[in-house]
Amino acid sequence: MSQTAEIGVSGLATMGRNLARNLARHGHTVALHNRTAKRTRDLAENFADEGTFVPAESAEEFVRSLERPRRIILMVPAGKATDAVIDEFTPLLEQGDVIIDAGNAHFADTRRREKALSDMGLNFVGMGVSGGEEGALNGPSIMPGGPAEAYESLGPLLEDISAKVDGQPCCTHIGADGAGHFVKMVHNGIEYADMQLIAEAYDLLRQGLGMDPAAIAETFTGWNQGRLDSYLIEITSEVLAHADAETGKPFVDVVADEAEQKGTGRWTVQAALDLGVPVTGIAEATFARSLSGNRTLRDAARSLPGVSGARLEGAAAEGFADDIEQALYASKIVAYAQGFNEIQAGAEEYGWTIDLGRVASIWRGGCIIRAKFLEEITAAYEREPKLTTLLTDSSFVEAIGGAQDSWRRVVASAAQLGIPTPGFSSALAYYDGIRAERLPAALVQGQRDFFGAHTYRRTDRDGTFHTAWATDDRAESEA
Ligand code: NAP
């Protein structure tokens, strides 16, 4: 077989198939490979009119069909399957060839694989792809990591098939080794937080104001015309407006209220814990899914005393929907600020140079968290690339300043009505925490020193101190 294909895709389930079709539709000749050859044949036959495919039955045939340096995109499940496919290809490749893992790998695995392949003279690119099957076909947001020289040859091709916003591709080289998968992981974590906040807004409108799903759908449609304009708000309106075909009931009322997860939210929180970055919005969203799915716990707790069925009436209800919009926007800013801080900390820890403004900019299209609001984040990092937190950027200071009273009213009302709002409440607690002049952490330090002689620092002089708590005079000594 002659070397005719510019790029190859191995793993042709939903995502791989659509990515291969996207490449072909953009005029690139695409080699195809899949463990089960039937998928390869089906794709080449059913979509032959979309471009040029070079189907291969074996890994050897697939590799032979590729131009050099060879570029192979893997779209298989993260973990063992990815290692198995890499092990199958590496003996067939030559110096300078590039393997691109476009699955949802953990960034630590990507770092390990990048090191192993670079020792063999191969380039390994861990690439985050967001946008689900629709994005893969019509333009995803693409977050490639790996060596800069691999991006030089690969970048134009990826930018070609990515989503575009204002003519700009939603794809950029994120940084070395695992940076792309790290950023994709945090993207997914932020997605969890955003979805949870929207779900809490729905719950408050439903339980707190007694609105029905169709009316709430209209409220979200209205919000989608303003600063909350985003894919997630848009699909929320559609889901809420949908009626179940069989029963005619609102769709949301016939779906089991147990949220599932594939693990990227959990990874984001685990990495944040290791880095010491508080991502309370993502953590609360991940735990809220776990809580919802813990049927045993919920059944055991169902009869616990509390407020239920209460709602705001009359004057108290007036303007509450607008308050919720404000609380949602403010909490969303906090969740994103925390996510960007995690990326910043990851970059520092692992030695990546990541342009945070560019990251926000490539999330404006193609991906699940695409939103108008991301333009504000790009602008903030353009104003100050080393911003400690997005919350101190002037545009967000103004937005939160305006939202603040509403935000506090919503959190207080939710507590009084017995409506759980872990996302809204923790976002406000974080906001109040970081801006506090003094935190009760001083007392925690005292407790730690008392039971464990863990020492403390003082506000009035340098040094590390310990108090002899067990003695009568409780004398302080420098540790
Ligand atoms: P998938 O169900 O994760 O994977 C199925 C594909 O992997 C099939 O082509 C299968 O081949 C192949 N495969 C599985 N185990 C293999 C092994 N041990 N050796 C060789 N090939 C193996 O497919 P997907 O939903 O299209 O997702 C692909 C990747 O993209 C995953 O890492 C996923 O996390 C990521 N991703 C998915 C989405 C999404 O919205 N679905 C979004 C972004 C990223 P056979 O046909 O032979 O079974």
Side-chain angles (χ1 to χ4, degrees):
M1 174 171 304
S2 59
Q3 299 167 2
T4 54
E6 277 173 79
I7 190 159
V9 180
S10 181
L12 300 173
T14 319
M15 290 295 287
R17 185 189 61 221
N18 283 359
L19 211 58
R21 289 175 60 198
N22 186 352
L23 283 158
R25 286 173 174 191
H26 280 84
H28 305 289
T29 303
V30 187
L32 303 175
H33 174 261
N34 194 67
R35 179 178 60 181
T36 313
K38 184 174 180 311
R39 275 199 211 269
T40 313
R41 285 193 294 270
D42 286 352
L43 169 49
E45 279 163 25
N46 297 338
F47 300 101
D49 56 335
E50 293 190 348
T52 311
F53 295 110
V54 185
E57 299 265 329
S58 68
E60 290 79 5
E61 192 189 336
F62 175 66
V63 167
R64 274 200 307 274
S65 73
L66 287 161
E67 284 175 7
R68 300 208 24 219
R70 302 178 180 93
R71 292 175 289 205
I72 298 176
I73 297 182
L74 308 182
M75 259 303 190
V76 298
K80 287 199 175 86
T82 302
D83 280 324
V85 180
I86 291 173
D87 288 347
E88 188 180 5
F89 283 124
T90 43
L92 308 172
L93 299 179
E94 289 164 286
Q95 190 107 15
D97 288 349
V98 190
I99 292 187
I100 304 125
D101 174 16
N104 266 336
H106 191 281
F107 74 94
D109 285 336
T110 303
R111 283 166 60 76
R112 168 178 60 79
R113 290 173 183 139
E114 202 273 335
K115 168 92 181 61
L117 265 70
S118 97
D119 289 348
M120 293 181 209
L122 300 174
N123 285 312
F124 184 72
V125 171
M127 180 168 98
V129 179
S130 176
E133 55 180 296
E134 206 271 335
L137 183 62
N138 297 318
S141 176
I142 310 181
M143 293 149 257
E149 54 276 23
Y151 192 79
E152 266 168 43
S153 80
L154 193 62
L157 231 145
L158 298 176
E159 290 176 14
D160 203 21
I161 61 159
S162 73
K164 311 281 180 308
V165 176
D166 300 335
Q168 293 295 312
C170 292
C171 172
T172 193
H173 180 233
I174 302 288
D177 54 72
H181 275 139
F182 188 91
V183 166
K184 170 68 189 341
M185 174 189 78
V186 176
H187 163 284
N188 284 23
I190 292 175
E191 178 185 307
Y192 273 52
D194 210 338
M195 291 168 74
Q196 172 66 22
L197 293 171
I198 293 172
E200 290 177 18
Y202 151 77
D203 208 22
L204 286 161
L205 291 165
R206 184 107 194 239
Q207 292 199 62
L209 289 177
M211 291 169 68
D212 64 30
I216 299 172
E218 279 179 35
T219 301
F220 276 107
T221 303
W223 290 354
N224 204 37
Q225 311 304 311
R227 60 191 180 168
L228 283 169
D229 178 358
S230 63
Y231 173 71
L232 282 171
I233 296 275
E234 181 191 324
I235 64 166
T236 299
S237 301
E238 292 204 26
V239 172
L240 288 171
H242 180 58
D244 175 48
E246 203 181 313
T247 60
K249 290 183 182 163
F251 168 80
V252 73
D253 287 348
V254 300
V255 176
D257 61 344
E258 296 167 23
E260 295 177 23
Q261 49 187 313
K262 282 193 170 168
T264 41
R266 187 173 63 237
W267 285 354
T268 314
V269 179
Q270 285 168 338
L273 288 169
D274 289 341
L275 292 165
V277 182
V279 289
T280 54
I282 301 169
E284 289 294 355
T286 309
F287 285 133
R289 289 196 193 190
S290 307
L291 185 155
S292 76
N294 193 333
R295 207 17 93 187
T296 313
L297 176 68
R298 292 176 63 189
D299 285 345
R302 193 173 307 284
S303 58
L304 288 177
V307 188
S308 346
R311 78 173 51 149
L312 297 177
E313 309 277 0
E318 230 164 85
F320 194 62
D322 291 336
D323 284 345
I324 297 171
E325 192 269 349
Q326 299 272 11
L328 176 54
Y329 192 64
S331 304
K332 183 174 159 125
I333 296 171
V334 169
Y336 279 68
Q338 294 178 338
F340 275 88
N341 277 355
E342 181 168 353
I343 297 175
Q344 229 166 9
E348 240 165 71
E349 175 73 17
Y350 301 109
W352 302 318
T353 306
I354 300 183
D355 180 339
L356 298 174
R358 268 304 278 150
V359 169
S361 146
I362 66 161
W363 288 348
R364 286 180 307 156
C367 66
I368 306 300
I369 62 170
R370 60 185 181 259
K372 194 170 165 223
F373 155 82
L374 288 158
E375 288 168 13
E376 303 281 339
I377 297 184
T378 301
Y381 283 119
E382 273 168 6
R383 280 190 283 273
E384 177 50 67
K386 295 203 183 310
L387 204 56
T388 303
T389 167
L390 282 169
L391 294 167
T392 57
D393 173 74
S394 54
S395 71
F396 295 125
V397 169
E398 198 181 316
I400 291 194
Q404 179 139 185
D405 291 347
S406 297
W407 195 12
R408 295 184 190 283
R409 255 195 309 277
V410 167
V411 170
S413 303
Q416 278 170 340
L417 294 168
I419 301 171
T421 54
F424 284 0
S425 310
S426 68
L428 182 56
Y430 174 86
Y431 180 76
D432 284 335
I434 59 168
R435 66 179 197 85
E437 180 74 32
R438 289 278 296 161
L439 286 169
L443 175 58
V444 172
Q445 282 298 84
Q447 293 163 333
R448 293 179 70 246
D449 191 57
F450 192 108
F451 66 68
H454 291 303
T455 73
Y456 53 87
R457 284 177 294 112
R458 297 181 55 102
T459 55
D460 52 0
R461 57 183 197 273
D462 288 341
T464 307
F465 302 90
H466 168 62
T467 296
W469 296 100
T471 61
D472 286 343
D473 63 349
R474 301 202 158 173
E476 183 180 86
S477 60
E478 194 150 1

